[in-house]
Amino acid sequence: MSDLAEALRSVLSLEVGLWIVVGDILGIIVGALPGLTATMGLALVLPLSYHLTPTAGMGLMLGVYFGAVTGASIPAILFGIPGNPNAIATVYDGKALADRGEAGVALGTAVVASFLGGLGSILILYVASVPLATAALAFGPAEYFSLAAAALSVIAAASGGSVRKGVLSCLVGVALSTVGIDSLSGVARYSFDNVYLLKGLSVIPALIGLFGIAQVLSDLHLARRAPTAVVLPKMGRLLPPAGWFVKNWRTIVESLGIGTAIGALPGAGASVAVVLAWERARRRSDHPEQFGKGRLEGVLAPEVANNACIGGGLIPTLALGIPGEAAAVVLLAALLLHGVVPGPMMFGQHRELVYAIFAAMFLANLTTALFQIGGVRLFARALALPPFALNLVILLLSLVGAFAIDGSVYDAAVALAFGALGWWMKREGYPVIPLVLGLELGPILEAQFRRAVVIAGGNYGTFLMRPLSAALLLMGVAGLVSGVLPKRRAPAPAGRPAAP
Amino acid sequence: MVRPRWLTLALLVAGTAYTAAAWRIPVRPIAHDPGARVVPLVVGILTAGLALWELRARQVPNGAGQSPAEAADGTLDGWLCLAASAVYLAVLRPLGFVAATAALLFGLGAYLRSPAGWRQWLGLAAFALFTAWAVERLFGGVFGVPLPSGGWGAP
């Protein structure tokens, strides 16, 4: 605990605190704008974080992450439009409450619930990641290969739509990751004697392209529309009595558990967690028939769950170096930019940074709650931004951000190419997230596979002979099979968006 | 509306070409190492195979609710934006950041908003110039990233 206290002191410095606050504000604006996701916000500030100290850079990124996830409740409650998929279940009861003139209490509940979900998941991350990282020190190359393969299989199958397209997207990511010099034998692959390609395709311009530029290209035809006229509904009081949260402690704990567990699983995502948490709260309630018609617990449960996914998602990212979803890939890329390799070794080599990340998460969670409560009317005005200007600014920041990493037009061109690819994938129903994870995990997958075979003296059966490796591979196969099986959808109230 | 399958076709071609190129990757003898071509070969064959399977699969309407006219509009906007961005990157160094950026924002803004009357044109020009200046200050001033100054020497 003394490490954490020390880290908290370092995070409370003016520089780090300032960047966390900047991140919060940017994040809440991103969250409040329908269509803009937390991952896109993270991808846009990623190049900026490179020019800060590691702690300040991570503070900025975490501020954006917490802000975007929490801020998505603003349009969900006020206008019935989820800012991003994390807030899909908040619409169910939040909009009904706003229609009844209780928007204030719904927003206040969402903010407190988000804070509690974030806080709980940070504590779980703190408690779980150190033992997990310690256990992972015993992993050999076979286990690492199987873990990466399992994560990719599950994500490819669970990313929505056709499993074939998910797997294809993942394979494209792995294929692109093989461009450049092979790290084990020094052989050049797919570089066509081009000096830029010899270095390989950098993940960061790819992330900026796939999440920033692709979004602009998809939304550009909407940019012709006039700005939305923002008419705020009646707010009423801002918070329910404190005793109400105490009375609903079971819903909070269950939603926290659902959010953290699903966040830690590769591919499941917050949109699944929020619907499950909402459904669980409905079943537990004495008045399930009132859910979807303006029940405050219907806002509490999903908002606890979506912020809980943040801490959950960082457990495998920090402890194992294996990100389970797109936002975690961007955070992992931010650490790599600073020369920090996430995984079990990080807990020994960069112990102070690990604890600074925990402390920055705590601070970002707290300040996001304070800013959102204080500035809800102001952030709701973000919807009035002219769509054409917003899209052009995102396009510009994406191109300049990619350029700024290395001062290279080549990186900006790579971002543009990935933007075009991501746009086209979206148009043809291909999920983008498996591609990103394939690109990130591809080098780990290949290097660990070959190392494991070398260590086993050329025996390819080593992956099945080691129990943990075999179990992980089995998990990957099960993930793929479950993706093919028909899905049972969680019910949604009439007229509301269904579970993804 | 049924989704187009150009990307799937492109993946089939790319997967086949990638596999063919994988055969030409030289293998350096390292004891028991499967070699630098194994993963590309497996990935290439799987990509081409799955793309072929996807092409042969029955098409399911996507239900996206976008009319063909809207889809065509979106496609044209997307391609124009891509082309404008590519030109922007090509002229970024010779023209300099502020001039190139203001031109990109003004050009795309004029296409998207079709301003009517001198007030709207002026507003668009002000938006383009202010955004270019503000982003230059943010990256150049706050983060110390040297952005191209172009032939004029000034940022």
Side-chain angles (χ1 to χ4, degrees):
Chain A
M1 198 54 99
S2 65
D3 286 327
L4 195 59
E6 185 61 36
L8 200 54
R9 262 196 296 278
S10 77
V11 165
L12 285 172
S13 70
L14 183 65
E15 189 206 0
V16 180
L18 181 75
W19 287 114
I20 290 176
V21 167
V22 169
D24 284 338
I25 294 170
L26 288 175
I28 298 173
I29 293 171
V30 164
L33 290 166
L36 304 193
T37 62
T39 310
M40 197 211 76
L42 286 169
L44 284 182
V45 297
L46 177 61
L48 304 186
S49 77
Y50 176 52
H51 300 280
L52 303 173
T53 62
T55 311
M58 289 309 290
L60 172 69
M61 305 282 289
L62 290 165
V64 170
Y65 198 3
F66 276 97
V69 173
T70 308
S73 62
I74 296 174
I77 291 167
L78 295 181
F79 310 109
I81 312 162
N84 56 54
N86 297 350
I88 196 162
T90 308
V91 173
Y92 299 168
D93 288 277
K95 179 67 170 70
L97 281 160
D99 290 344
R100 276 205 322 244
E102 296 177 54
V105 80
L107 282 165
T109 302
V111 171
V112 174
S114 297
F115 172 73
L116 293 173
L119 183 65
S121 77
I122 295 165
L123 291 174
I124 295 171
L125 170 69
Y126 174 69
V127 172
S129 56
V130 178
L132 186 60
T134 311
L137 284 172
F139 279 24
E143 284 76 17
Y144 262 111
F145 163 78
S146 302
L147 182 65
L152 284 177
S153 307
V154 173
I155 288 158
S159 51
S162 150
V163 175
R164 262 196 313 270
K165 286 183 172 174
V167 176
L168 264 170
S169 170
C170 184
L171 287 168
V172 171
V174 177
L176 291 172
S177 78
T178 61
V179 174
I181 293 181
D182 170 40
S183 62
L184 292 184
S185 64
V187 167
R189 299 185 296 190
Y190 304 105
S191 55
F192 309 106
D193 296 328
N194 178 305
V195 282
Y196 292 113
L197 289 179
L198 274 172
K199 287 193 294 183
L201 291 170
S202 170
V203 175
I204 294 156
L207 287 172
I208 294 171
L210 289 167
F211 293 110
I213 297 173
Q215 182 78 44
V216 172
L217 295 173
S218 300
D219 291 351
L220 213 56
H221 65 288
L222 306 175
R224 294 175 191 281
R225 292 181 186 168
T228 313
V230 177
V231 182
L232 293 179
K234 192 168 162 259
M235 287 288 182
R237 69 193 162 104
L238 204 57
L239 280 171
W244 182 84
F245 288 101
V246 177
K247 202 178 119 197
N248 285 288
W249 70 271
R250 277 180 196 277
T251 303
I252 294 171
V253 171
E254 281 178 356
S255 305
L256 173 65
I258 290 170
T260 310
I262 288 186
L265 287 176
S271 54
V272 176
V274 293
V275 176
L276 287 179
W278 181 86
E279 176 61 12
R280 178 69 195 147
R282 189 179 72 85
R283 287 184 188 203
R284 165 172 288 289
S285 171
D286 295 333
H287 302 285
E289 75 288 351
Q290 291 176 7
F291 270 69
K293 294 171 185 164
R295 190 87 190 161
L296 208 49
E297 294 92 322
V299 173
L300 176 72
E303 284 300 316
V304 169
N306 64 19
N307 274 53
C309 283
I310 297 178
L314 286 180
I315 296 173
T317 309
L318 295 180
L320 305 174
I322 303 284
E325 41 101 29
V329 176
V330 188
L331 289 172
L332 188 139
L335 284 168
L336 290 173
L337 264 183
H338 287 286
V340 179
V341 181
M345 302 303 281
M346 184 175 79
F347 285 73
Q349 292 168 347
H350 300 282
R351 193 179 176 80
E352 60 298 334
L353 179 62
V354 173
Y355 285 101
I357 290 171
F358 294 154
M361 287 178 77
F362 174 77
L363 197 62
N365 190 37
L366 178 69
T367 47
T368 296
L370 295 176
F371 274 108
Q372 188 163 326
I373 283 272
V376 67
R377 287 174 183 277
L378 197 65
F379 290 121
R381 300 264 169 216
L383 281 163
L385 287 172
F388 91 95
L390 187 68
N391 277 286
L392 292 183
V393 169
I394 294 171
L395 175 71
L396 178 63
L397 290 177
S398 301
L399 292 172
V400 182
F403 174 87
I405 299 164
D406 224 2
S408 156
V409 173
Y410 167 75
D411 281 335
V414 170
L416 191 62
F418 271 98
L421 177 64
W423 172 51
W424 209 253
M425 286 175 74
K426 224 180 246 190
R427 291 177 69 86
E428 296 201 14
Y430 280 85
V432 169
I433 291 171
L435 186 149
V436 172
L437 285 150
L439 195 59
E440 181 70 38
L441 294 180
I444 298 175
L445 197 79
E446 181 177 13
Q448 302 294 5
F449 167 75
R450 286 166 61 189
R451 278 193 196 119
V453 174
V454 169
I455 290 169
N459 178 9
Y460 287 83
T462 183
F463 302 101
L464 296 173
M465 276 148 47
R466 296 172 69 102
L468 184 57
S469 166
L472 287 165
L473 283 179
L474 197 66
M475 196 178 97
V477 173
L480 270 182
V481 171
S482 75
V484 179
L485 295 175
K487 289 179 181 61
R488 190 170 64 93
R489 284 174 178 267
R496 305 280 187 223
Chain B
M1 189 183 156
V2 172
R3 282 197 168 104
R5 298 207 222 185
W6 293 110
L7 184 61
T8 313
L9 192 63
L11 285 179
L12 175 61
V13 174
T16 311
Y18 180 86
T19 311
W23 283 112
R24 294 206 297 273
I25 295 172
V27 177
R28 297 227 170 115
I30 300 174
H32 306 302
D33 179 18
R37 71 162 66 134
V38 168
V39 169
L41 270 179
V42 173
V43 169
I45 291 167
L46 281 175
T47 304
L50 273 175
L52 187 64
W53 187 10
E54 179 63 30
L55 273 176
R56 292 171 61 91
R58 193 169 60 89
Q59 275 279 58
V60 180
N62 65 15
Q66 209 179 35
S67 72
E70 275 176 327
D73 226 18
T75 309
L76 181 65
D77 288 349
W79 281 116
L80 271 171
C81 179
L82 271 175
S85 303
V87 171
Y88 168 70
L89 292 180
V91 300
L92 187 59
R93 287 205 186 275
L95 273 188
F97 178 78
V98 174
T101 302
L104 172 80
L105 296 178
F106 187 79
L108 277 178
Y111 169 72
L112 292 169
R113 293 292 289 154
S114 315
W118 67 272
R119 274 177 201 278
Q120 286 192 9
W121 281 106
L122 202 64
L124 183 61
F127 160 75
L129 280 170
F130 174 76
T131 309
W133 172 81
V135 173
E136 195 280 329
R137 285 292 83 209
L138 175 71
F139 280 84
V142 180
F143 295 105
V145 178
L147 293 171
S149 54
W152 293 282

